[in-house]
Amino acid sequence: MAKTKTEKVQREIERLEREKAKPKRSGYLVYFIIIVSIVCIADELATQIGLQMQNVVASQLFAPIVGEEYAVARMSIVATIAGCTVGIASLYRTLADHFGRKIFLVFNTLGFGIGLFLIGICTNIPVYAAGVIIIQFFIPHDMQQVYIQECAPAKYRATLTNSIGGIASLSVMLIPILRNLFLKGNDLSQWRMVYMVPAVVALAVAIFALFFVRESDAFVESRLRYLRMTDEERKAEKKEHNKQENGVGLIAAIRFCFSHKQIRWAFVAGGFISFAQLVCYNYETILTFGYAKQFLDNGATMEVARTNAIGFVTQALLLFAIGSAIMAFISGVLADHVGRKPAVIAMCATNLAAFLIFFFGANQAWNPYIVGLFCGISVGSYWNGASLITLMCAESCPTNVRVSVAAVQPVVNGMIYMIASTSLTVLSNIMGDTAIGKICFIVSVPGMVLGLILLLVKVKETNGADLCAVRGDEYEKNAQ
């Protein structure tokens, strides 16, 4: 016999009450940080491995088919196709506002573990593409970030968010260590093993999270409040708050986002600032062709120059993680002490300055450890600045639509970022792989400048917001 709506609601209330009644261990915040950090590590490894193995995979899978001159450029087409999953992924992500954060934390981690495993066993481009698409589908959700935002004390929210990100950034050192272990000299045949190790880590972490992570307190409280309301109370509150707190799902989130100037302009500003992702997605290629230049200048073929540069790049990547982690720790403290917007501006300025240093450093064959450090600073500056914009959006909306709003953000950002991504794909397929560094710089700078201007003029500061009390319209009132 089918359950009535009332019975289903009562059963969900009972389940959430049991979850709420679970006692927190002594020192729960420390315990929570450890668990979420492990999940962040798995996520960061899955995110960065494709970027740090870009030229290796291009030379092994794509170059034999399309040639050495355009291997990375052709591979970028796969990345562009994978990026089209963002719309479907956003529909999936909104379900976390109805079913909770925990189950999707587990699913996401399991998903990118499977994607890494597919790449680790692939022998052709279609299987590789399938792995990339799966990873791209699950990576952007960052449910662990939602946990931190909803569970961390307000005055330390940015510090904890970016400090845990810094710990995850340090874990990326595992990738160059694996490159050293499996890529011996000019023999790149064992490159798949570099993917298999993080795949096993991600799958193990998913199982760990299933048993040891508890549901977000903010979600439990918000969901219980909603379920206990009568239909009349829901209608009354829906009317009173202009439909902003009670909808759950993508439609409600889209309506909320585009009816609130604060979030709408944060999305648009973040979209243009995201042009800097071009550097973040191609830094290994920029490093490779920078160090390959010395060999090309001496008459080496592209294949030989690319292969000879791999050792320099592996050394550079060892300090990449440290540079990225430094910026994670700095950005969080900066955001909590001087505000989110000044911190974003500082991160963007650092991103640009550090890019120029590591770009010219690689082309002039500087010490790879120094070049790698500045490469990490550049990439880490962007990602941590972008995470602060995401945090500002979270601090500007109520709990009931927070994850759904976070699902809309990459759609809006992605639509704007496609301008930059398409420009790079077209230009690199015309000019070749060696021009990718210059193209990234030329396309990124105008977008970042425009995005920062919009952030300064259109978006209000959110430092210190109470996530349990925020409704979303106070920023409109403050603006009046």
Side-chain angles (χ1 to χ4, degrees), residues 48-70:
Q48 293 293 334
I49 189 168
L51 307 178
Q52 297 201 359
M53 291 290 289
Q54 192 176 58
N55 261 274
V56 175
V57 176
S59 67
Q60 295 298 293
L61 281 183
F62 288 81
I65 299 173
V66 303
E68 292 285 344
E69 295 285 343
Y70 296 93

Side-chain angles (χ1 to χ4, degrees), residues 24-321:
K24 289 185 177 179
R25 297 176 176 84
S26 177
Y28 173 75
L29 183 59
V30 175
Y31 169 78
F32 161 78
I33 290 172
I34 292 173
I35 293 178
V36 176
S37 295
I38 295 172
V39 176
C40 285
I41 287 170
D43 180 281
E44 190 68 14
L45 289 173
T47 302
Q48 293 293 334
I49 189 168
L51 307 178
Q52 297 201 359
M53 291 290 289
Q54 192 176 58
N55 261 274
V56 175
V57 176
S59 67
Q60 295 298 293
L61 281 183
F62 288 81
I65 299 173
V66 303
E68 292 285 344
E69 295 285 343
Y70 296 93
V72 176
R74 300 294 189 267
M75 191 167 71
S76 68
I77 297 174
V78 174
T80 301
I81 294 172
C84 295
T85 64
V86 67
I88 301 173
S90 296
L91 291 171
Y92 158 83
R93 186 176 185 177
T94 60
L95 297 175
D97 276 332
H98 183 84
F99 295 105
R101 301 356 183 177
K102 177 179 176 178
I103 191 63
F104 292 95
L105 181 75
V106 174
F107 280 166
N108 296 345
T109 309
L110 184 65
F112 53 71
I114 293 172
L116 289 170
F117 180 79
L118 281 177
I119 297 176
I121 63 173
C122 77
T123 57
N124 54 58
I125 293 176
V127 176
Y128 167 79
V132 171
I133 290 171
I134 291 172
I135 293 172
Q136 187 62 45
F137 179 87
F138 286 104
I139 282 292
H141 303 300
D142 287 336
M143 197 57 63
Q144 66 275 11
Q145 299 293 336
V146 177
Y147 264 99
I148 300 168
Q149 292 163 6
E150 294 187 345
C151 298
K155 64 179 180 178
Y156 300 123
R157 190 176 295 130
T159 300
L160 277 176
T161 299
N162 287 23
S163 293
I164 291 175
I167 294 171
S169 295
L170 284 174
S171 72
V172 175
M173 290 183 71
L174 177 64
I175 300 172
I177 291 173
L178 292 173
R179 283 174 57 121
N180 265 329
L181 182 63
F182 294 111
L183 307 182
K184 300 292 187 180
N186 294 335
D187 182 12
L188 307 182
S189 60
Q190 296 299 310
W191 68 268
R192 295 173 183 82
M193 289 302 299
V194 181
Y195 278 86
M196 289 301 291
V197 174
V200 172
V201 171
L203 294 172
V205 169
I207 297 172
F208 183 84
L210 178 63
F211 292 102
F212 295 102
V213 174
R214 59 181 290 158
E215 186 57 82
S216 157
D217 290 341
F219 170 78
V220 171
E221 293 287 352
S222 176
R223 187 66 180 165
L224 281 172
R225 175 181 172 275
Y226 179 75
L227 292 172
R228 285 171 173 156
M229 294 171 66
T230 64
D231 291 340
E232 290 74 18
E233 287 173 332
R234 291 173 187 170
K235 290 179 181 178
E237 187 163 300
K238 187 175 183 179
K239 181 178 180 180
E240 179 183 352
H241 297 305
N242 196 25
K243 302 181 180 181
Q244 70 177 2
E245 290 191 6
N246 300 302
V248 175
L250 188 61
I251 300 302
I254 292 174
R255 182 170 59 243
F256 178 86
C257 294
F258 288 96
S259 62
H260 288 75
K261 294 180 181 179
Q262 169 77 1
I263 297 177
R264 181 171 69 242
W265 283 111
F267 281 7
V268 175
F272 283 106
I273 291 173
S274 74
F275 278 28
Q277 286 183 34
L278 293 180
V279 175
C280 299
Y281 289 150
N282 294 280
Y283 63 84
E284 193 260 0
T285 293
I286 297 171
L287 288 172
T288 298
F289 285 102
Y291 280 106
K293 183 176 181 296
Q294 59 185 307
F295 302 105
L296 291 172
D297 290 345
N298 289 327
T301 65
M302 177 63 73
E303 181 179 3
V304 171
R306 186 199 297 260
T307 302
N308 288 341
I310 286 177
F312 292 94
V313 175
T314 299
Q315 293 177 41
L317 293 177
L318 283 169
L319 264 67
F320 170 91

